[in-house]
């Protein structure tokens, strides 16, 4: 779709009058994301690419639209404007504000607000250590290079008290705004799972590196976990962290081998090394 075709689509759907200003937004590794300014209205138009097979982060347009519907009014995600599945186009309100500034308490509060959303019907992801580790094993099996660290042992623990609607990809690049205005964007791979997985994706060194930010310090992590105020989730995160790190390290190792952009491949290699070096369980 050309810029002129996009403008015509928006006019036909009643989303703008006249000629909008269209800008390509930076960030992301897969979909095309455009910011559209039409008078005083600012929208984000996401055009979904064909998803890769066998990835931890599937590209699910209909699921993103449904997640935004369920999160409406919770002050967690952008406001959905519309979804056109036949065109693989999703439109939502542009989130005003700067990229996340580094306030862990704001992210903790956002995760607590998110718990009000109904997770039923979304894809189910593993919630026990052995299955999480097995996903990492499958990804390492595709790699030419062997992992730099041995596979961690699987912690034995029961299921969480309840399943949550989880984002699965809370890198800093997907957080916009500050305080209660903080919003979590890019919901193309939501799931029904363990809230501790979202905790890991936020605190993970790999996710930070892929967002082109330095990994968190031990003090940063402790501050966030204290602000979360969920001892049950913190305990699960502490025990599942080695399994999550193994799987994310495997994912980054695989991506580093299959992608072609040298800079992005190098970033994934750094992320893999950081993740596999961070598999010690928390005390």
């Amino acid at each position: 779709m050309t810029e002129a075709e996009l403008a015509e689509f928006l006019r036909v759907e009643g989303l703008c009058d006249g000629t909008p200003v269209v800008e390509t937004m930076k960030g992301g590794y897969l979909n095309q994301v455009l910011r559209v300014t039409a008078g005083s209205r600012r929208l984000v138009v996401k055009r979904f690419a064909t998803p890769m097979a066998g990835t931890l982060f599937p590209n699910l347009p209909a699921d993103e639209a449904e997640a935004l519907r369920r999160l409406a009014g919770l002050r967690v995600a952008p406001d959905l404007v519309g979804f056109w599945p036949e065109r693989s186009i999703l439109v939502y309100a542009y989130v005003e504000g700067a990229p996340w500034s580094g306030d862990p308490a704001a992210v903790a509060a956002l995760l607590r607000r998110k718990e009000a959303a109904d997770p039923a019907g979304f894809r189910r992801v593993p919630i026990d250590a052995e299955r999480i580790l097995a996903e990492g094993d499958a990804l390492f099996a595709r790699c030419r290079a062997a992992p730099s660290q041995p596979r961690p042992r699987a912690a034995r623990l029961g299921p969480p008290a309840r399943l949550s609607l989880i984002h699965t990809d809370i890198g800093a690049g997907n957080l916009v705004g500050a305080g209660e205005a903080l919003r979590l964007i890019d919901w193309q791979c939501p799931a029904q799972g363990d809230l501790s997985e979202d905790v890991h994706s936020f605190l993970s060194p790999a996710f930070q590196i892929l967002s082109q930010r330095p990994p968190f310090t031990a003090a940063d992590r402790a501050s966030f976990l204290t602000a979360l105020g969920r001892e049950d989730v913190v305990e699960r995160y502490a025990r599942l962290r080695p399994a999550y790190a193994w799987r994310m390290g495997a994912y980054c190792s695989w991506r580093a081998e299959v992608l072609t952009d040298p800079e992005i491949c190098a970033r994934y290699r750094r992320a893999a090394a950081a993740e596999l070096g961070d598999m010690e369980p928390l005390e």
Side-chain angles (χ1 to χ4, degrees), residues 211-226:
S211 295
Q212 301 188 68
R213 296 174 66 102
F216 289 118
T217 65
D220 292 331
R221 288 178 174 175
S223 176
F224 171 78
L225 295 173
T226 298

Side-chain angles (χ1 to χ4, degrees), residues 10-223:
L10 294 173
R11 282 193 292 271
V12 168
E13 297 298 333
L15 300 180
C16 75
D17 295 320
T19 302
V21 177
V22 179
E23 304 167 80
T24 299
M25 298 180 69
K26 295 181 179 179
Y29 291 87
L30 185 60
N31 298 311
Q32 182 183 27
V33 183
L34 306 168
R35 181 172 60 197
V36 176
T37 303
S40 61
R41 193 176 196 186
R42 302 180 90 187
L43 304 171
V44 171
V45 177
K46 181 181 286 189
R47 299 171 62 192
F48 289 87
T50 302
M52 295 178 65
T55 176
L56 287 181
F57 306 102
N59 207 28
L60 305 170
D63 284 17
E64 176 161 12
E66 182 59 26
L68 295 185
R69 289 189 189 101
R70 296 196 192 185
L71 291 163
L74 297 181
R75 297 174 294 118
V76 168
D79 294 328
L80 177 67
V81 173
F83 174 53
W84 293 264
E86 72 283 358
R87 292 176 175 264
S88 292
I89 291 178
L90 179 79
V91 179
Y92 57 82
Y94 178 74
V95 177
E96 301 288 347
W100 179 66
S101 63
D103 176 10
V107 181
L110 183 148
L111 291 188
R112 290 196 303 272
R113 295 195 299 270
K114 182 169 66 65
E115 282 294 273
D118 179 8
F122 289 96
R123 66 189 178 105
R124 297 284 292 265
V125 292
I127 57 174
D128 64 276
E130 186 53 49
R131 289 181 62 207
I132 295 167
L133 288 167
E135 288 191 324
D137 297 342
L139 287 162
F140 272 127
R142 302 182 201 171
C143 298
R144 295 185 297 274
S148 60
Q149 300 290 333
R151 186 187 197 262
R153 293 182 178 181
R156 294 186 179 182
L157 71 167
R162 66 179 295 271
L163 296 179
S164 302
L165 171 57
I166 60 174
H167 182 279
T168 75
D169 187 15
I170 310 183
N174 285 336
L175 292 162
V176 180
E180 291 193 1
L182 183 68
R183 297 294 181 265
L184 182 56
I185 64 172
D186 284 350
W187 282 83
Q188 65 250 19
C189 47
Q192 183 178 178
D194 191 330
L195 183 58
S196 70
E197 182 167 341
D198 270 351
V199 171
H200 172 262
S201 72
F202 176 61
L203 295 180
S204 151
F207 280 84
Q208 292 298 308
I209 289 168
L210 294 174
S211 295
Q212 301 188 68
R213 296 174 66 102
F216 289 118
T217 65
D220 292 331
R221 288 178 174 175
S223 176

Side-chain angles (χ1 to χ4, degrees), residues 211-256:
S211 295
Q212 301 188 68
R213 296 174 66 102
F216 289 118
T217 65
D220 292 331
R221 288 178 174 175
S223 176
F224 171 78
L225 295 173
T226 298
L228 187 63
R230 288 284 305 272
E231 291 185 8
D232 58 329
V233 176
V234 172
E235 180 180 356
R236 290 188 64 81
Y237 163 68
R239 299 186 65 189
L240 290 171
R241 179 178 169 222
Y244 287 137
W246 173 257
R247 183 178 66 181
M248 188 60 184
Y251 172 78
C252 292
S253 298
W254 169 63
R255 291 285 280 172

